[in-house]
Amino acid sequence: MTRQLFRNARIYTPLDTGRPRAGKAQGELAHFPQGAMLVENGLIAAIGNEPEVVALAGSAGETSEVDCGGRCMIPGFVDPHTHMCFTDLREAEFAMRLEGTPYLEILRQGGGILSSVKAVAAASDDELYQKTLGRVETALQFGTTTLEIKSGYGLDTENELKMLRVIDKVAKNSMVDVVATFLGAHAVPVAYRNDPGAFIDLVIKEMLPAVRKQGIARFCDIFCEEGVFSVAESRRLLHAARGMGLGVKLHADEVHDLGGAGLAAELGACSADHLLAASEENIRAMAAAGVIAILLPATAYSLRKPYARARLMIDQNLPLALATDCNPGSSFTESMQFVFGLAVLNMQLSPAEALTGATLNAAYGIGMADRVGSLDPGKQADFLLLDGETPAILAYHAGVSSIAYVYKKAKKI
Ligand code: NIG
Ligand code: FE
């Protein structure tokens, strides 16, 4: 057995009480100003004030010690919403957006998600794998130790399965824990432009069974948006996906208040994501139904849209998670620290609320809270040592990484 004692750390972590932390509890962290953590075989054995943890370690055979130098220790970031599996960047479209063309207009003209679809179809498995792995490794350098990756640049059975296969290979070859989501209904393919319902039929009849047989995806997601898929189409797909044993999620009310958040509540979805335009009524319905809100402030930032109403959501007891949405169109960043800073400075979350959102609630948002997301005994020793005294450094020190060291299962990266 390998036993390690990490001492002399200012520890901050949400504690896992068996459900996502909402309302006031979102902002409550455990804090050990002179803390230590005992790890056995990569799993947390004990955490707390240094003298108590040291006493525990002393009675238990050989232990290697790491002095954390008084740095702030927090759980590794969990990024519960990314589209990192793609090939080419879309810088020319970024320039178009800067000149005033709306994001959905670029998609309507056959660009946007549809440009990435063309590029993914033309790429070999290996090219897609190398590029995806590179982004996952970047995320890890920036403190993300667990993340979700969606398919959705395939839009046909062959290419959706290819994306999921590549995501699975990345999962097997990276230190990062990776969860795969099937997003076959990410955009309406050109051939179905006048009949998105027929495309949903295809996703249900052909893609879903193939995805289930392949056995890689754990969730099914859909882009529920004006000009993309309606609430009725989303309901139909997600019912079928659930029937096949997949967890369900939605891109909901990102640009227009279509009622995706209400559908998430009706379905008891695991999460509804984006929610920039979600109505107060549907926010309340989500809270009552136990849905997690995954907020993506880097997308609002990049699209220059008003941020999701995070304070209202916390007041309504809706548990908030944070994610990058990393993708080549609406949010090109792998950095959860950047997202944390936006959440604190532009969505008025406290650093403690943002930390819970970027770790424990995010882990719940992708069904990983039994293993990661907080520094609770029994979980993996995935943690960060920050060049600062409190988690607030992540927002305060803007534009540079405050992450001195990243540990995955107690292994220094
Ligand atoms: O979450 N909204 C849809 N999907 C992504 C963007 C994907 C893309 O533009 O490539 C999003 O914003
Ligand atoms: Fe997204």
Side-chain angles (χ1 to χ4, degrees), residues 81 83 90 103 113 153 186 223 251 254 274 325 327 329-330:
H81 180 141
H83 308 255
R90 299 184 342 228
Y103 173 73
I113 294 168
Y153 296 125
H186 192 194
F223 190 12
H251 281 66
E254 175 177 355
H274 284 292
D325 197 19
N327 75 74
S330 64

